[in-house]
């Protein structure tokens, strides 16, 4: 069992940032945007890429199966481009 899930939000234009605890599991990502957007999540600043995705206008949910993706150094939003976008990142 991966533990309880907590949600964190990150808006386009907020800059790169560490999201949530220093070690966590990425379980899902919800993305809302008013124009096509793309994002990259890494394990810490400059670490291995966990997820890179381009999403269409509107709301998109990305689910990670099983126990999710382990981010040893925390989930870091290294890039998030688009217009009117917000990420909702679910971590365990």
């Amino acid at each position: 069992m991966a533990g309880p899930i907590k949600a964190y939000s990150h808006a386009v234009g907020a800059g790169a940032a560490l999201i949530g605890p220093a070690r966590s599991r990425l379980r899902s990502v919800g993305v809302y945007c008013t124009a096509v957007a793309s994002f990259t999540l890494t394990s810490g600043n400059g670490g291995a890429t966990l997820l890179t995705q381009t999403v269409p206008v509107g709301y998109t949910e990305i689910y990670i199966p099983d126990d999710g993706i382990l981010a040893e150094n925390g989930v870091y939003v290294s890039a998030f481009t688009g217009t009117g976008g917000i990420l909702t990142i679910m971590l365990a």
Side-chain angles (χ1 to χ4, degrees), residues 15-60:
L18 183 63
I19 305 295
R23 183 178 191 272
S24 56
R25 290 187 179 273
L26 177 62
R27 301 302 306 266
S28 69
V29 179
V31 186
Y32 174 78
C33 52
T34 58
V36 173
S38 63
F39 65 92
T40 299
L41 304 177
T42 60
S43 179
N45 186 4
T49 299
L50 303 174
L51 180 65
T52 298
Q53 190 70 48
T54 299
V55 294
V57 173
Y59 184 74
T60 302

